[in-house]
Amino acid sequence: MTPEIPPKNFTPHLPEDYDARISSVLPYYSSFHQETINLVKSLPSSPKIWMDTGCGTGSLINKSIEEFLDTKFLLLDPSESMLEQAKGKLSFYPDGKVEFLKASSTQEFSQELEEKPDVITAIQCHHYLSLEDRSRATRVCYNLLKEGGIYITFENIRPLTEEGVAVGKRYWGKFQSLHGRKEKEIQTHLERFDTEYFPITVEEHLKLLRDTGFRTVELFWYSYMQAGFYCIK
């Protein structure tokens, strides 16, 4: 059955409460950012251009910017409100260090960049898409990257079996309960699975990334129902 596709500019939370809520919803959310930073720091050379699509309120770049002094950061998000939050968070950095791109989803992004990025990150943003749009978004990132560039993405993941889905939801719900969320909030959140966001399995992710054309595709982080992948063009 084909799931209902969310609106193009669908956002999971209001931007003003996103940062406050996300760590009680997603296990190890701060690790998504830290492991991304650690991975980029392990590259042979520091990136000249780093593009973050689905940047939200700019938290990843806010954490990364002092670690990469010679890197220019490009921020993209489909929500104008999220971009405004990010601009406020990063307002004390000069224009030459941070550039905010016109609001757009990844799959519809068409703005011409002056230079191809060495790194593109997409953290928890493409699981709201249909399979067709997810493929388009991945292709856009591939085409934007310079040769040898790295694409890093974290997403919600579908377990391999229906029983695994049930176990995963209970496991995830327990985490949220331990972090102060009320039972009704937890249930509402878990009901969004396959109705507002559409996770695919690790195997399906790996196939999508390989089919896009990346020469190296790796799973490098997995916990609860989230996973991180990196790919080299």
Side-chain angles (χ1 to χ4, degrees):
M1 182 174 68
T2 302
E4 181 183 354
I5 306 306
K8 290 181 180 178
N9 291 328
F10 175 81
T11 52
H13 303 291
L14 294 174
E16 59 267 21
D17 69 356
Y18 185 85
D19 289 336
R21 295 180 53 165
I22 191 68
S23 292
S24 67
V25 175
L26 285 176
Y28 304 112
Y29 179 69
S30 62
S31 294
F32 301 175
H33 293 167
Q34 191 56 55
E35 292 307 317
T36 297
I37 292 168
N38 292 346
L39 180 59
V40 176
K41 288 174 75 172
S42 73
L43 298 176
S45 58
S46 186
K48 183 177 179 182
I49 307 292
W50 177 339
M51 178 177 171
D52 187 32
T53 184
C55 69
T57 64
S59 294
L60 171 61
I61 302 310
N62 193 42
K63 295 173 184 176
S64 305
I65 200 163
E66 297 294 346
E67 301 275 357
F68 300 92
L69 299 180
D70 298 323
T71 300
K72 178 178 180 178
F73 295 91
L74 310 179
L75 285 82
L76 175 69
D77 198 89
S79 167
E80 292 278 9
S81 297
M82 287 287 193
L83 288 172
E84 287 302 316
Q85 291 280 315
K87 287 175 183 177
K89 189 176 289 185
L90 300 168
S91 60
F92 48 88
Y93 291 103
D95 290 341
K97 184 69 174 174
V98 179
E99 179 181 343
F100 292 91
L101 303 171
K102 297 175 184 177
S104 172
S105 62
T106 310
Q107 70 273 17
E108 295 175 336
F109 180 71
S110 60
Q111 185 176 340
E112 193 165 338
L113 303 180
E114 292 182 3
E115 189 172 353
K116 285 182 173 289
D118 308 273
V119 172
I120 295 179
T121 46
I123 310 299
Q124 292 295 122
C125 62
H126 290 159
H127 54 255
Y128 299 106
L129 303 178
S130 67
L131 287 175
E132 180 182 356
D133 279 348
R134 187 195 294 264
S135 180
R136 286 175 59 205
T138 306
R139 173 62 61 180
V140 166
C141 292
Y142 178 86
N143 289 338
L144 286 172
L145 272 175
K146 66 173 52 174
E147 198 68 30
I150 187 168
Y151 173 58
I152 304 169
T153 183
F154 277 77
E155 293 290 0
N156 289 337
I157 294 298
R158 174 183 291 280
L160 299 176
T161 63
E162 287 305 309
E163 186 171 17
V165 171
V167 171
K169 285 182 176 180
R170 291 196 299 270
Y171 185 35
W172 193 358
K174 184 66 174 177
F175 167 86
Q176 294 184 35
S177 178
L178 291 171
H179 286 76
R181 301 200 88 201
K182 296 179 181 178
E183 191 61 35
K184 186 175 180 180
E185 287 181 299
I186 296 169
Q187 187 61 32
T188 298
H189 177 263
L190 295 177
E191 286 173 354
R192 295 171 60 228
F193 188 100
D194 272 350
T195 60
E196 292 183 6
Y197 68 90
F198 309 100
I200 60 177
T201 67
V202 166
E203 293 171 349
E204 289 170 323
H205 265 289
L206 294 172
K207 183 178 187 305
L208 168 63
L209 295 165
R210 292 185 188 114
D211 288 350
T212 300
F214 289 104
R215 62 181 170 86
T216 297
V217 175
E218 299 287 351
L219 169 72
F220 79 107
W221 195 96
Y222 196 153
S223 183
Y224 282 81
M225 294 170 76
Q226 290 77 41
F229 306 83
Y230 74 83
C231 316
I232 302 173
K233 182 174 178 178

